[in-house]
Coordinates of all heavy atoms in Angstrom, one line a residue:
M1 N 0.8 -1.2 0.0 CA 0.0 0.0 0.0 C 0.9 1.2 0.0 O 1.8 1.4 0.8 CB -0.9 0.0 1.3 CG -1.6 1.3 1.5 SD -2.5 1.4 3.1 CE -3.5 0.0 3.1
P2 N 0.7 2.2 -0.9 CA 1.5 3.4 -0.9 C 1.2 4.2 0.4 O 0.1 4.2 0.9 CB 1.0 4.1 -2.1 CG 0.2 3.1 -2.9 CD -0.2 2.1 -2.0
L3 N 2.2 4.9 0.9 CA 2.0 5.7 2.1 C 0.9 6.8 1.9 O 0.2 7.1 2.8 CB 3.3 6.4 2.4 CG 4.4 5.5 3.0 CD1 5.7 6.3 3.2 CD2 4.0 4.8 4.3
S4 N 0.7 7.2 0.7 CA -0.3 8.3 0.4 C -1.7 7.7 0.6 O -2.6 8.5 0.8 CB -0.2 8.8 -1.0 OG -0.3 7.8 -2.0
D5 N -1.9 6.4 0.7 CA -3.2 5.8 0.9 C -3.5 5.6 2.4 O -4.6 5.2 2.7 CB -3.3 4.4 0.2 CG -3.3 4.6 -1.3 OD1 -3.5 5.7 -1.8 OD2 -3.2 3.5 -2.0
L6 N -2.5 5.8 3.3 CA -2.7 5.6 4.7 C -3.6 6.8 5.2 O -3.6 7.9 4.7 CB -1.4 5.6 5.5 CG -0.5 4.4 5.2 CD1 0.8 4.6 5.9 CD2 -1.1 3.1 5.7
P7 N -4.4 6.5 6.3 CA -5.2 7.5 6.9 C -4.3 8.6 7.5 O -3.2 8.2 8.0 CB -6.1 6.8 7.9 CG -5.6 5.4 8.0 CD -4.6 5.2 6.9
R8 N -4.7 9.8 7.4 CA -3.8 10.9 7.9 C -4.3 11.4 9.2 O -5.5 11.6 9.5 CB -3.9 12.1 6.9 CG -3.3 11.8 5.5 CD -1.8 11.4 5.7 NE -1.3 11.0 4.4 CZ -0.2 11.5 3.9 NH1 0.5 12.4 4.5 NH2 0.2 11.0 2.7
D9 N -3.3 11.6 10.1 CA -3.6 12.2 11.4 C -3.4 13.7 11.2 O -2.4 14.2 10.8 CB -2.5 11.7 12.4 CG -2.6 12.3 13.8 OD1 -3.3 13.3 14.0 OD2 -1.9 11.8 14.7
P10 N -4.4 14.5 11.6 CA -4.3 16.0 11.4 C -3.2 16.6 12.1 O -2.6 17.7 11.7 CB -5.7 16.5 11.8 CG -6.3 15.4 12.6 CD -5.7 14.1 12.2
I11 N -2.7 16.0 13.3 CA -1.6 16.6 14.0 C -0.3 16.2 13.4 O 0.6 17.0 13.4 CB -1.7 16.2 15.5 CG1 -3.0 16.7 16.1 CG2 -0.5 16.7 16.3 CD1 -3.3 16.2 17.5
H12 N -0.2 15.0 13.0 CA 1.1 14.5 12.3 C 0.7 14.0 10.9 O 0.5 12.8 10.8 CB 1.7 13.3 13.2 CG 1.9 13.7 14.6 ND1 1.1 13.5 15.6 CD2 3.0 14.4 15.1 CE1 1.6 14.0 16.7 NE2 2.8 14.5 16.5
P13 N 0.6 14.9 10.0 CA 0.1 14.5 8.6 C 1.0 13.5 7.9 O 0.5 12.8 7.0 CB 0.0 15.8 7.9 CG 0.9 16.7 8.6 CD 1.0 16.3 10.0
R14 N 2.3 13.4 8.2 CA 3.2 12.4 7.5 C 3.5 11.3 8.5 O 3.9 11.6 9.6 CB 4.4 13.1 7.0 CG 4.1 14.1 5.9 CD 5.3 14.8 5.3 NE 6.1 15.5 6.4 CZ 7.4 15.7 6.3 NH1 8.0 15.4 5.3 NH2 8.0 16.3 7.3
P15 N 3.5 10.1 8.1 CA 3.7 9.0 9.0 C 5.1 8.8 9.5 O 6.1 9.2 8.9 CB 3.3 7.7 8.2 CG 3.5 8.1 6.8 CD 3.2 9.6 6.7
T16 N 5.2 8.2 10.7 CA 6.5 7.9 11.3 C 6.7 6.4 11.0 O 5.8 5.6 11.2 CB 6.6 8.1 12.8 OG1 6.4 9.5 13.0 CG2 7.8 7.6 13.4
V17 N 7.9 6.0 10.5 CA 8.2 4.6 10.2 C 9.2 4.0 11.2 O 10.2 4.7 11.5 CB 8.7 4.4 8.8 CG1 9.1 3.0 8.5 CG2 7.7 5.0 7.8
L18 N 8.9 2.9 11.8 CA 9.8 2.2 12.7 C 10.5 1.1 11.9 O 9.8 0.2 11.4 CB 9.0 1.6 13.9 CG 9.9 0.9 14.9 CD1 10.9 1.8 15.6 CD2 9.0 0.2 15.9
L19 N 11.8 1.1 11.9 CA 12.6 0.2 11.0 C 13.5 -0.6 11.9 O 14.4 0.0 12.5 CB 13.3 0.9 9.9 CG 14.2 0.1 9.0 CD1 13.4 -0.9 8.2 CD2 15.0 1.0 8.1
S20 N 13.4 -1.9 11.9 CA 14.4 -2.7 12.6 C 15.2 -3.4 11.5 O 14.7 -3.6 10.4 CB 13.8 -3.7 13.6 OG 13.0 -4.6 12.9
G21 N 16.5 -3.7 11.8 CA 17.3 -4.4 10.7 C 17.9 -3.4 9.8 O 18.3 -3.7 8.7
A22 N 18.0 -2.1 10.2 CA 18.5 -1.1 9.3 C 20.0 -1.2 9.0 O 20.5 -0.5 8.1 CB 18.3 0.3 10.0
T23 N 20.8 -2.0 9.7 CA 22.2 -2.2 9.5 C 22.5 -3.2 8.4 O 23.6 -3.3 7.9 CB 23.0 -2.5 10.7 OG1 22.5 -3.7 11.3 CG2 22.9 -1.4 11.7
G24 N 21.5 -4.0 8.0 CA 21.7 -5.1 7.0 C 21.6 -4.5 5.6 O 21.2 -3.3 5.4
L25 N 21.8 -5.4 4.7 CA 21.8 -4.9 3.3 C 20.5 -4.4 2.8 O 20.4 -3.3 2.3 CB 22.3 -6.1 2.4 CG 22.3 -5.9 0.9 CD1 23.4 -4.9 0.5 CD2 22.5 -7.2 0.1
V26 N 19.4 -5.2 3.1 CA 18.1 -4.8 2.7 C 17.6 -3.6 3.5 O 17.0 -2.6 3.0 CB 17.1 -6.0 2.7 CG1 15.7 -5.5 2.5 CG2 17.5 -7.0 1.8
G27 N 17.9 -3.7 4.8 CA 17.4 -2.6 5.8 C 18.1 -1.3 5.4 O 17.4 -0.2 5.5
R28 N 19.3 -1.3 5.1 CA 20.0 0.0 4.7 C 19.4 0.6 3.5 O 19.1 1.8 3.4 CB 21.5 -0.2 4.5 CG 22.2 1.1 4.2 CD 23.7 0.9 4.1 NE 24.3 0.8 5.4 CZ 25.5 0.5 5.6 NH1 26.3 0.3 4.6 NH2 26.0 0.3 6.8
E29 N 19.1 -0.2 2.5 CA 18.5 0.3 1.2 C 17.1 0.8 1.5 O 16.7 1.9 1.0 CB 18.4 -0.9 0.2 CG 17.7 -0.5 -1.1 CD 18.4 0.7 -1.8 OE1 19.6 0.9 -1.7 OE2 17.7 1.5 -2.5
L30 N 16.3 0.1 2.3 CA 15.0 0.6 2.7 C 15.1 1.9 3.5 O 14.3 2.8 3.3 CB 14.3 -0.5 3.6 CG 12.9 -0.2 4.0 CD1 11.9 0.2 2.8 CD2 12.3 -1.3 4.8
L31 N 16.0 2.0 4.4 CA 16.2 3.2 5.1 C 16.5 4.4 4.2 O 15.9 5.5 4.3 CB 17.4 3.1 6.1 CG 17.8 4.3 6.9 CD1 16.7 4.8 7.8 CD2 19.1 4.0 7.7
C32 N 17.4 4.2 3.2 CA 17.7 5.3 2.3 C 16.4 5.7 1.5 O 16.2 6.9 1.3 CB 18.8 4.8 1.3 SG 20.4 4.7 2.2
Q33 N 15.6 4.7 1.1 CA 14.4 5.0 0.3 C 13.4 5.7 1.2 O 12.8 6.7 0.7 CB 13.8 3.7 -0.2 CG 14.6 3.1 -1.4 CD 13.9 1.9 -2.0 OE1 12.7 1.7 -1.9 NE2 14.8 1.0 -2.6
L34 N 13.3 5.4 2.4 CA 12.4 6.0 3.3 C 12.8 7.5 3.6 O 12.0 8.4 3.6 CB 12.3 5.3 4.7 CG 11.5 4.0 4.6 CD1 11.8 3.2 5.9 CD2 10.0 4.2 4.4
L35 N 14.1 7.7 3.8 CA 14.6 9.1 4.0 C 14.4 10.0 2.8 O 14.1 11.2 2.9 CB 16.1 9.0 4.3 CG 16.4 8.4 5.7 CD1 17.9 8.4 5.9 CD2 15.8 9.2 6.8
C36 N 14.4 9.4 1.6 CA 14.2 10.2 0.4 C 12.7 10.4 0.0 O 12.4 11.2 -0.8 CB 14.9 9.5 -0.8 SG 16.7 9.5 -0.7
D37 N 11.8 9.7 0.7 CA 10.4 9.7 0.4 C 9.8 10.9 1.1 O 9.7 11.0 2.3 CB 9.7 8.5 0.9 CG 8.3 8.3 0.4 OD1 7.6 9.4 0.2 OD2 7.8 7.2 0.3
P38 N 9.2 11.9 0.3 CA 8.6 13.1 1.0 C 7.4 12.8 1.7 O 6.9 13.6 2.5 CB 8.4 14.0 -0.2 CG 8.3 13.1 -1.4 CD 9.2 11.9 -1.1
E39 N 6.8 11.6 1.5 CA 5.6 11.2 2.2 C 5.9 10.8 3.7 O 4.9 10.6 4.5 CB 4.8 10.1 1.5 CG 4.3 10.5 0.1 CD 3.1 11.5 0.3 OE1 2.3 11.4 1.2 OE2 3.0 12.5 -0.5
V40 N 7.1 10.5 4.0 CA 7.5 10.0 5.3 C 8.0 11.2 6.2 O 8.8 11.9 5.8 CB 8.7 8.9 5.2 CG1 9.2 8.5 6.5 CG2 8.2 7.7 4.4
G41 N 7.4 11.2 7.4 CA 7.7 12.3 8.3 C 8.9 12.1 9.1 O 9.7 13.0 9.4
E42 N 9.1 10.9 9.6 CA 10.2 10.5 10.5 C 10.5 9.0 10.3 O 9.6 8.2 10.1 CB 9.8 10.8 11.9 CG 10.9 10.6 12.9 CD 10.6 11.0 14.3 OE1 9.9 10.2 15.0 OE2 11.0 12.1 14.7
V43 N 11.8 8.7 10.4 CA 12.2 7.3 10.4 C 12.9 7.0 11.7 O 13.9 7.6 12.0 CB 13.1 7.0 9.2 CG1 13.5 5.5 9.2 CG2 12.4 7.3 7.9
R44 N 12.4 6.0 12.4 CA 13.1 5.6 13.7 C 13.7 4.2 13.4 O 13.0 3.2 13.2 CB 12.1 5.5 14.8 CG 11.5 6.8 15.2 CD 10.6 6.8 16.3 NE 10.1 8.1 16.6 CZ 9.8 8.6 17.8 NH1 9.9 7.8 18.8 NH2 9.4 9.8 18.0
A45 N 15.0 4.2 13.4 CA 15.8 3.0 13.1 C 16.3 2.4 14.4 O 17.0 3.1 15.2 CB 17.0 3.3 12.2
L46 N 16.0 1.1 14.6 CA 16.5 0.4 15.8 C 17.7 -0.3 15.5 O 17.8 -1.1 14.5 CB 15.4 -0.6 16.3 CG 14.0 0.0 16.6 CD1 13.1 -1.1 17.1 CD2 14.2 1.1 17.7
V47 N 18.8 -0.1 16.3 CA 20.1 -0.8 16.1 C 20.5 -1.4 17.5 O 20.0 -1.0 18.5 CB 21.1 0.2 15.6 CG1 20.7 0.8 14.2 CG2 21.3 1.4 16.6
R48 N 21.5 -2.3 17.4 CA 22.0 -3.0 18.6 C 23.0 -2.2 19.4 O 23.3 -2.5 20.5 CB 22.5 -4.3 18.2 CG 21.5 -5.3 17.7 CD 22.1 -6.6 17.3 NE 21.2 -7.5 16.7 CZ 20.4 -8.4 17.3 NH1 20.6 -8.5 18.6 NH2 19.6 -9.1 16.7
R49 N 23.7 -1.3 18.7 CA 24.8 -0.5 19.3 C 24.8 0.9 18.8 O 24.2 1.2 17.8 CB 26.2 -1.2 19.1 CG 26.5 -1.3 17.6 CD 27.9 -2.0 17.4 NE 28.1 -2.5 16.1 CZ 28.2 -1.8 15.0 NH1 28.2 -0.5 15.1 NH2 28.4 -2.4 13.8
E50 N 25.5 1.8 19.6 CA 25.5 3.2 19.2 C 26.1 3.3 17.8 O 27.2 2.7 17.5 CB 26.4 4.0 20.2 CG 25.8 4.1 21.6 CD 24.7 5.1 21.7 OE1 24.6 6.0 20.8 OE2 24.0 5.0 22.7
L51 N 25.5 4.0 16.9 CA 26.0 4.3 15.6 C 25.7 5.7 15.2 O 24.6 6.2 15.5 CB 25.3 3.4 14.5 CG 25.7 2.0 14.4 CD1 24.8 1.2 13.4 CD2 27.1 1.8 13.9
S52 N 26.5 6.4 14.5 CA 26.2 7.7 13.9 C 25.4 7.5 12.7 O 25.3 6.4 12.1 CB 27.5 8.4 13.6 OG 28.2 7.8 12.5
A53 N 24.7 8.5 12.3 CA 23.9 8.5 11.1 C 24.8 8.1 9.9 O 24.4 7.3 9.0 CB 23.2 9.8 10.8
E54 N 26.0 8.7 9.9 CA 27.0 8.4 8.8 C 27.4 6.9 8.7 O 27.4 6.3 7.6 CB 28.2 9.3 8.9 CG 29.1 9.3 7.7 CD 30.2 10.4 7.8 OE1 29.8 11.5 7.4 OE2 31.3 10.1 8.3
A55 N 27.6 6.3 9.9 CA 28.0 4.9 9.9 C 26.8 4.0 9.5 O 27.0 3.0 8.8 CB 28.5 4.5 11.3
L56 N 25.6 4.4 9.9 CA 24.4 3.6 9.6 C 24.1 3.7 8.1 O 23.8 2.7 7.5 CB 23.2 4.1 10.4 CG 21.9 3.4 10.2 CD1 22.0 1.9 10.5 CD2 20.8 4.1 11.0
L57 N 24.3 4.9 7.5 CA 23.9 5.0 6.1 C 25.1 4.6 5.2 O 24.8 4.4 4.0 CB 23.6 6.5 5.8 CG 22.3 7.0 6.5 CD1 22.2 8.5 6.5 CD2 21.1 6.3 5.9
G58 N 26.3 4.6 5.7 CA 27.4 4.2 4.9 C 27.8 5.3 3.9 O 28.4 5.1 2.9
T59 N 27.4 6.5 4.2 CA 27.7 7.7 3.3 C 27.7 9.0 4.1 O 27.1 9.0 5.2 CB 26.6 7.8 2.2 OG1 26.9 8.8 1.3 CG2 25.2 8.1 2.8
P60 N 28.4 10.0 3.7 CA 28.4 11.2 4.5 C 27.0 11.8 4.6 O 26.2 11.7 3.6 CB 29.2 12.2 3.6 CG 30.1 11.3 2.8 CD 29.3 10.1 2.5
V61 N 26.6 12.3 5.8 CA 25.2 12.7 6.0 C 24.8 13.8 5.1 O 23.6 13.9 4.7 CB 25.0 13.0 7.5 CG1 25.0 11.8 8.3 CG2 25.9 14.1 8.0
G62 N 25.7 14.6 4.7 CA 25.4 15.7 3.7 C 25.0 15.2 2.4 O 24.3 15.9 1.6
A63 N 25.4 14.0 2.0 CA 25.0 13.5 0.7 C 23.7 12.7 0.7 O 23.2 12.3 -0.3 CB 26.1 12.5 0.3
M64 N 23.0 12.6 1.9 CA 21.8 11.8 2.0 C 20.6 12.8 2.2 O 20.5 13.4 3.3 CB 21.9 10.8 3.1 CG 20.6 10.0 3.4 SD 19.9 9.2 1.9 CE 21.2 8.0 1.6
P65 N 19.7 12.9 1.2 CA 18.5 13.7 1.4 C 17.7 13.1 2.6 O 17.6 11.9 2.7 CB 17.8 13.7 0.1 CG 18.7 12.9 -0.8 CD 19.8 12.3 -0.1
G66 N 17.1 14.0 3.3 CA 16.1 13.5 4.4 C 16.7 13.0 5.6 O 16.0 12.5 6.5
V67 N 18.0 13.2 5.8 CA 18.7 12.6 7.0 C 18.2 13.3 8.3 O 18.2 12.7 9.3 CB 20.2 12.7 6.9 CG1 20.7 14.1 7.0 CG2 20.9 11.8 7.8
G68 N 17.7 14.5 8.2 CA 17.1 15.2 9.3 C 15.9 14.5 10.0 O 15.6 14.8 11.1
K69 N 15.3 13.6 9.2 CA 14.1 12.9 9.8 C 14.5 11.6 10.4 O 13.6 10.8 10.8 CB 13.0 12.8 8.8 CG 13.3 12.1 7.5 CD 12.1 12.2 6.6 CE 12.4 11.8 5.2 NZ 11.2 11.9 4.3
L70 N 15.8 11.3 10.5 CA 16.3 10.0 11.0 C 16.5 10.1 12.5 O 17.1 11.0 13.0 CB 17.6 9.6 10.3 CG 18.3 8.4 10.9 CD1 17.4 7.1 10.7 CD2 19.6 8.2 10.2
R71 N 15.9 9.2 13.2 CA 16.2 9.0 14.7 C 16.7 7.6 14.9 O 16.1 6.6 14.4 CB 14.9 9.2 15.5 CG 14.2 10.5 15.3 CD 15.0 11.7 15.9 NE 14.3 12.9 15.5 CZ 14.6 13.7 14.5 NH1 15.6 13.3 13.7 NH2 14.0 14.8 14.3
I72 N 17.8 7.5 15.5 CA 18.5 6.1 15.8 C 18.2 5.7 17.2 O 18.6 6.5 18.1 CB 20.0 6.2 15.4 CG1 20.2 6.6 14.0 CG2 20.6 4.8 15.7 CD1 21.6 6.8 13.6
G73 N 17.6 4.6 17.4 CA 17.3 4.1 18.7 C 18.2 2.8 19.0 O 18.2 1.9 18.2
V74 N 18.9 2.8 20.1 CA 19.7 1.7 20.5 C 18.8 0.8 21.4 O 18.3 1.2 22.4 CB 21.0 2.1 21.3 CG1 21.8 0.9 21.7 CG2 21.8 3.1 20.4
V75 N 18.7 -0.5 21.0 CA 17.9 -1.5 21.7 C 18.8 -2.5 22.3 O 19.7 -3.1 21.7 CB 16.9 -2.2 20.7 CG1 16.1 -3.2 21.4 CG2 16.1 -1.2 20.0
D76 N 18.6 -2.7 23.6 CA 19.3 -3.8 24.3 C 18.4 -5.0 24.2 O 17.6 -5.3 25.1 CB 19.5 -3.3 25.8 CG 20.3 -4.3 26.6 OD1 20.5 -5.5 26.1 OD2 20.7 -4.0 27.7
F77 N 18.7 -5.8 23.2 CA 17.9 -7.0 23.0 C 18.0 -8.1 24.0 O 17.1 -8.8 24.3 CB 18.1 -7.6 21.6 CG 17.6 -6.8 20.5 CD1 18.4 -5.9 19.7 CD2 16.2 -6.8 20.1 CE1 17.9 -5.2 18.7 CE2 15.7 -6.1 19.1 CZ 16.5 -5.2 18.4
E78 N 19.2 -8.2 24.6 CA 19.4 -9.1 25.7 C 18.6 -8.8 26.9 O 17.9 -9.7 27.5 CB 20.9 -9.2 26.1 CG 21.8 -9.8 25.0 CD 23.3 -9.8 25.4 OE1 23.6 -9.6 26.6 OE2 24.1 -10.1 24.5
R79 N 18.6 -7.5 27.3 CA 17.8 -7.1 28.4 C 16.3 -7.3 28.1 O 15.5 -7.7 28.9 CB 18.0 -5.7 28.8 CG 17.2 -5.2 29.9 CD 17.5 -3.7 30.3 NE 16.7 -3.3 31.4 CZ 15.5 -2.8 31.3 NH1 14.9 -2.6 30.1 NH2 14.8 -2.4 32.3
L80 N 15.9 -7.0 26.9 CA 14.6 -7.1 26.4 C 14.1 -8.5 26.5 O 13.0 -8.8 27.0 CB 14.5 -6.6 25.0 CG 13.1 -6.4 24.3 CD1 12.4 -5.3 25.1 CD2 13.3 -6.0 22.9
A81 N 14.9 -9.5 26.2 CA 14.6 -10.9 26.2 C 14.4 -11.4 27.7 O 13.6 -12.2 28.0 CB 15.6 -11.8 25.5
R82 N 15.2 -10.8 28.6 CA 15.1 -11.2 30.0 C 13.9 -10.7 30.7 O 13.3 -11.3 31.6 CB 16.4 -10.7 30.8 CG 17.6 -11.4 30.5 CD 18.8 -11.1 31.5 NE 18.9 -9.6 31.7 CZ 19.8 -8.8 31.0 NH1 20.5 -9.4 30.0 NH2 19.9 -7.6 31.2
V83 N 13.5 -9.5 30.4 CA 12.4 -8.8 31.1 C 11.0 -8.9 30.5 O 10.0 -8.6 31.2 CB 12.7 -7.3 31.4 CG1 14.0 -7.2 32.2 CG2 12.8 -6.5 30.2
T84 N 10.9 -9.3 29.3 CA 9.6 -9.3 28.6 C 8.9 -10.6 28.6 O 9.5 -11.6 28.3 CB 9.7 -8.8 27.2 OG1 10.6 -9.6 26.5 CG2 10.1 -7.3 27.1
R85 N 7.7 -10.5 29.0 CA 6.8 -11.6 28.9 C 5.5 -11.1 28.4 O 4.5 -11.8 28.3 CB 6.5 -12.3 30.3 CG 7.8 -12.8 30.9 CD 7.7 -14.3 31.2 NE 8.7 -14.8 32.0 CZ 9.9 -15.1 31.6 NH1 10.2 -14.9 30.3 NH2 10.8 -15.6 32.3
G86 N 5.5 -9.8 28.0 CA 4.3 -9.1 27.5 C 4.7 -7.9 26.7 O 5.6 -8.0 25.9
P87 N 4.1 -6.8 27.0 CA 4.5 -5.5 26.3 C 6.0 -5.2 26.5 O 6.5 -5.4 27.5 CB 3.6 -4.5 26.9 CG 2.5 -5.2 27.5 CD 3.0 -6.6 27.9
V88 N 6.6 -4.6 25.5 CA 8.0 -4.2 25.5 C 8.1 -2.9 26.4 O 7.4 -2.0 26.2 CB 8.5 -3.8 24.1 CG1 9.9 -3.3 24.2 CG2 8.4 -5.1 23.2
P89 N 9.0 -3.0 27.5 CA 9.1 -1.8 28.3 C 9.9 -0.7 27.5 O 10.8 -1.0 26.8 CB 10.0 -2.3 29.5 CG 10.7 -3.6 29.0 CD 9.8 -4.1 27.9
T90 N 9.4 0.5 27.6 CA 10.0 1.6 26.9 C 11.4 1.9 27.3 O 12.1 2.5 26.5 CB 9.1 2.9 27.0 OG1 9.0 3.2 28.4 CG2 7.8 2.7 26.4
A91 N 11.8 1.5 28.5 CA 13.2 1.8 28.9 C 14.2 1.0 28.1 O 15.4 1.2 28.3 CB 13.3 1.5 30.4
S92 N 13.8 0.0 27.3 CA 14.8 -0.8 26.6 C 15.2 -0.1 25.3 O 16.1 -0.6 24.6 CB 14.1 -2.1 26.2 OG 13.9 -2.9 27.4
V93 N 14.6 1.0 24.9 CA 15.0 1.7 23.7 C 15.4 3.1 24.1 O 14.7 3.8 24.8 CB 13.8 1.8 22.7 CG1 14.3 2.5 21.4 CG2 13.4 0.4 22.3
R94 N 16.6 3.5 23.6 CA 17.1 4.9 23.8 C 17.2 5.6 22.5 O 17.8 5.1 21.5 CB 18.5 4.9 24.5 CG 18.5 4.4 25.8 CD 19.9 4.6 26.5 NE 21.0 4.5 25.5 CZ 21.7 3.5 25.2 NH1 21.5 2.3 25.8 NH2 22.8 3.6 24.4
Y95 N 16.7 6.8 22.4 CA 16.8 7.6 21.1 C 17.7 8.7 21.4 O 17.8 9.3 22.4 CB 15.5 8.2 20.7 CG 14.6 7.1 20.0 CD1 13.6 6.5 20.7 CD2 14.8 6.7 18.7 CE1 12.8 5.6 20.2 CE2 14.0 5.8 18.1 CZ 13.0 5.2 18.9 OH 12.2 4.3 18.3

């Protein structure tokens, strides 16, 4: 479904996309496409360790359109596995 077909929130008219696996081959390509898409308001990429936007994208940030809408969240998956038996605690993700 194209993003333009999604229902619009009047307060946040462009959707926020949550992306896991952004450091892999397919994830990095998808991340670049999302950043270039004017229909996307924000991209939250979940990673396992601290990374700069440049390291995540594999290119200088000045060369990537839309990098300003990228938020990188570090997820402690080991802690997450130990403490979850239901909803994911928000303290496991840092932006």
Side-chain angles (χ1 to χ4, degrees):
M1 168 188 305
L3 289 174
S4 58
D5 291 348
L6 292 173
R8 297 298 174 128
D9 176 350
I11 297 172
H12 303 96
R14 295 182 302 156
T16 296
V17 177
L18 179 65
L19 177 63
S20 64
T23 58
L25 179 68
V26 174
R28 181 178 285 174
E29 178 59 29
L30 181 56
L31 175 60
C32 292
Q33 289 184 24
L34 289 167
L35 292 176
C36 291
D37 189 335
E39 293 293 320
V40 174
E42 183 177 80
V43 180
R44 294 182 179 212
L46 302 181
V47 297
R48 295 177 184 268
R49 59 183 162 68
E50 295 281 344
L51 283 174
S52 66
E54 191 168 274
L56 180 58
L57 295 167
T59 186
V61 292
M64 175 56 61
V67 75
K69 57 186 172 182
L70 174 61
R71 304 291 175 264
I72 301 171
V74 179
V75 180
D76 183 347
F77 287 102
E78 290 177 15
R79 179 177 182 276
L80 194 60
R82 287 191 312 268
V83 299
T84 55
R85 301 240 190 280
V88 175
T90 57
S92 294
V93 180
R94 293 187 329 266
Y95 286 100

